[in-house]
């Protein structure tokens, strides 16, 4: 069999992915860019090229402006809070104590179900009626009056972020834990012989060696944070007003419910650029650190 | 710290409240599945006055939960198997037939790696409508196959570590390129394919956005979508709603606790190499 024929046989393996990827990723991506420059409404065959008008309109649309700003706030807040909680949690779960296996499972639990279910469960806890669990607890324990957890602009944002942090911290602790367990015990034994205290060992050995885990965890937190949809949607439906709207919710609302394809595509393009810039920054930071280590 | 055999019981005492707090929402849904509406409204936190399973019977009688379970299972199983297969197939020529064309193809696949699904949503909605794939389970399966690219990159790194001698020896023995892939490469990929399968299962089983947009009729509902619809229907009946939630979650918890190790390895390995 000729070399060319063999190479041709190899190429057959690429056909499925090329079709799927072109049809469901590249074509829609190009189309998003194109539609963002038109006033297409999804139905009429003749639509016009309107240049950057959709991009200008973005800034006059309260839902979109709120969507972008809340999504960025959500992504940053969850990234910082989860990182600050997950690292100590992982350090503790790495110790030798009786309930460590049970606790690992308990903290991992909330990351398993769909965000939609978790948000509905928390909806019951935050319920605005006086019988809502949190309000009942606060009234019976501290005599506090009922708080509008999901209908006050500030409280709604905080509640949404709290639920997301609860849902993801255990998961990220497990990522750190996996890295912790790959660190060679020799480091600590050598340090102990040299007289380093436990705290010094954590500060000068464990934390620096956790840096690659942090790259992974932070990248996941930021990208998942930017893509957030289900938790705010199910908890507050984006309210009060547009306070907890997310970029995804705005794309679904403007693009699919209202068939403003051009406008929704412009939001998609902006969203893509935000993700791209963050991905690029993250990548270059990672490379810099690797160079420093060598 | 590490190396000491002594059990640090003080950590048990310190961590117990945090563990209870984390588990508290699950405790709430479980205890309320045994209560009447009135009892849930008046005593949501306490244990039920009697262990009554009638809510469970009602959910199976009054909602199509078994059908939704079947739909979710069909979607997840077909999409995951195909994704893993397509991803593994694509990695094979990239690793074993390193030509200039294949380097270009790899660059082309890398191009879309960072694209969030949401960016594609509006044109995808149009495309799915035009291809008449809306409200069809196999239609949604087809769309999920876009996730093959993620699988491809996870498998690619792993495949490079498989020694080339094996396939070269097989070629000398007269094995075809197809034969090598099915009989030698695919079985050797098992650790990474399991990781991929678990990660993609987690995504598809829990997905809400795509089923909400692309499945409309009652008989095509997935479990997560069923819960969403139930939330509207049983707006005031929390015990019924929580019972549905418990039934939905129970099998998934068992599966994921069993797969915890693979999930972590997948995330760690995938994110480091990708």
């Amino acid at each position: 069999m000729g070399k060319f024929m063999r190479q041709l046989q190899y190429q057959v393996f690429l056909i499925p992915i090329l079709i799927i990827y072109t049809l469901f990723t590249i074509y829609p991506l190009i189309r998003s860019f194109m539609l963002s420059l038109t006033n297409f409404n999804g139905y009429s065959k003749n639509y016009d090229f309107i240049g950057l008008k959709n991009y200008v309109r973005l800034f006059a649309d309260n839902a979109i402006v709120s969507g972008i700003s809340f999504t960025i706030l959500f992504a940053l807040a969850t990234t910082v809070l989860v990182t600050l909680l997950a690292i100590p949690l992982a350090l503790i779960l790495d110790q030798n104590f009786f309930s460590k296996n049970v606790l690992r499972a308990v903290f991992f639990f909330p990351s398993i179900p769909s965000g939609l279910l978790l948000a509905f469960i928390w909806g019951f806890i935050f319920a605005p009626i006086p019988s809502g669990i949190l309000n009942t607890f606060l009234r019976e324990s501290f005599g506090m009056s009922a708080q509008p957890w999901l209908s006050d602009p500030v409280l709604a944002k905080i509640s949404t972020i709290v639920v997301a942090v609860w849902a993801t911290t255990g998961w990220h602790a497990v990522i750190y834990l996996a890295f912790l367990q790959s660190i060679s015990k020799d480091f600590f034994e050598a340090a102990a012989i040299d007289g380093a205290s436990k705290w010094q060992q954590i500060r000068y050995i464990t934390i620096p060696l956790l840096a690659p885990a942090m790259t992974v965890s932070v990248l996941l937190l930021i990208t998942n944070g930017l893509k957030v949809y289900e938790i705010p949607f199910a908890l507050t439906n984006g309210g009060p007003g547009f306070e907890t709207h997310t970029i995804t919710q705005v794309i679904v609302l403007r693009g699919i419910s209202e068939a403003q394809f051009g406008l929704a595509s412009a939001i998609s393009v902006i969203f893509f650029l935000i993700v791209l810039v963050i991905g690029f920054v993250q990548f270059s930071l990672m490379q810099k650190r690797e160079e420093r280590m060598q | 710290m590490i190396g000491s055999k002594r059990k640090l019981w003080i950590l048990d005492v310190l961590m117990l409240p945090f563990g209870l707090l984390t588990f508290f929402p699950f405790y709430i849904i479980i205890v309320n599945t045994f209560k009447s509406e009135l009892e849930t409204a008046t005593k949501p936190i306490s244990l039920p006055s009697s262990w009554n399973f009638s809510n469970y019977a009602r959910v199976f009688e009054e909602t199509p939960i078994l059908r939704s379970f079947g739909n979710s299972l069909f979607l997840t199983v077909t999409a995951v198997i195909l994704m893993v297969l397509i991803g593994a197939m694509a990695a094979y020529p990239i690793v074993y037939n390193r030509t200039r064309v294949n380097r270009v193809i790899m660059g082309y696949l890398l191009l879309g790696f960072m694209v969030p699904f949401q960016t594609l949503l509006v044109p995808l909605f149009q495309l799915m409508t035009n291809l008449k794939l809306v409200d069809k389970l196999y239609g949604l399966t087809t769309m999920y196959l876009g996730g093959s690219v993620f699988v491809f990159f996870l498998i690619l790194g792993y495949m490079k570590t498989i020694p080339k001698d094996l396939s070269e020896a097989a070629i000398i023995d007269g094995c075809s390129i197809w034969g090598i892939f099915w009989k030698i490469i695919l079985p050797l990929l098992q650790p990474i394919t399991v990781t991929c399968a678990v990660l993609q299962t987690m995504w598809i089983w829990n997905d809400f956005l795509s089923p909400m947009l692309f499945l409309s009729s009652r008989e095509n509902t997935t479990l997560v979508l069923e819960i969403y619809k139930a939330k509207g229907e049983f707006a005031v009946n929390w015990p019924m709603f929580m019972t549905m939630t418990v039934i939905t979650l129970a099998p998934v918890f068992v599966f994921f606790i069993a797969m915890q190790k693979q999930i972590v390895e997948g995330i760690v390995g995938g994110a480091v190499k990708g």
Side-chain angles (χ1 to χ4, degrees), chain B residues 113-124:
Chain B
F113 194 60
M114 281 294 286
V115 182
F117 174 71
Q118 281 85 341
T119 304
L120 313 174
L121 208 55
V122 170
L124 269 181

Side-chain angles (χ1 to χ4, degrees), chain A residues 191-207:
Chain A
I193 291 167
D194 290 344
S197 70
K198 290 234 161 96
W199 170 246
Q200 282 172 324
Q201 289 178 24
I202 292 179
R203 171 71 187 80
Y204 295 104
I205 302 174
T206 314
I207 301 285

Side-chain angles (χ1 to χ4, degrees), chain A residues 99-146:
Chain A
S99 54
K100 74 171 180 201
N101 287 328
V102 177
L103 282 178
R104 280 182 194 177
V106 164
F107 287 112
F108 184 70
F109 255 23
S111 60
I112 300 171
S114 163
L116 189 87
L117 298 195
L118 298 178
F120 281 152
I121 297 166
W122 278 86
F124 183 70
I125 294 171
F126 286 134
I129 43 173
S131 71
I133 288 193
L134 189 56
N135 283 336
T136 306
F137 172 75
L138 291 175
R139 186 181 60 238
E140 285 173 4
S141 307
F142 305 103
M144 278 173 69
S145 55

Side-chain angles (χ1 to χ4, degrees), chain B residues 35-77:
Chain B
K35 296 178 189 173
S36 67
E37 267 185 83
L38 182 69
E39 201 186 349
T40 295
T42 49
K43 292 180 203 138
I45 307 175
S46 62
L47 286 169
S49 54
S50 68
W51 297 87
N52 180 352
F53 283 85
S54 66
N55 288 322
Y56 286 87
R58 264 189 76 192
V59 166
F60 284 109
E61 275 164 25
E62 293 175 23
T63 70
I65 196 160
L66 285 176
R67 196 186 164 111
S68 320
F69 189 88
N71 289 342
S72 284
L73 205 62
F74 171 82
L75 262 181
T76 310
V77 171

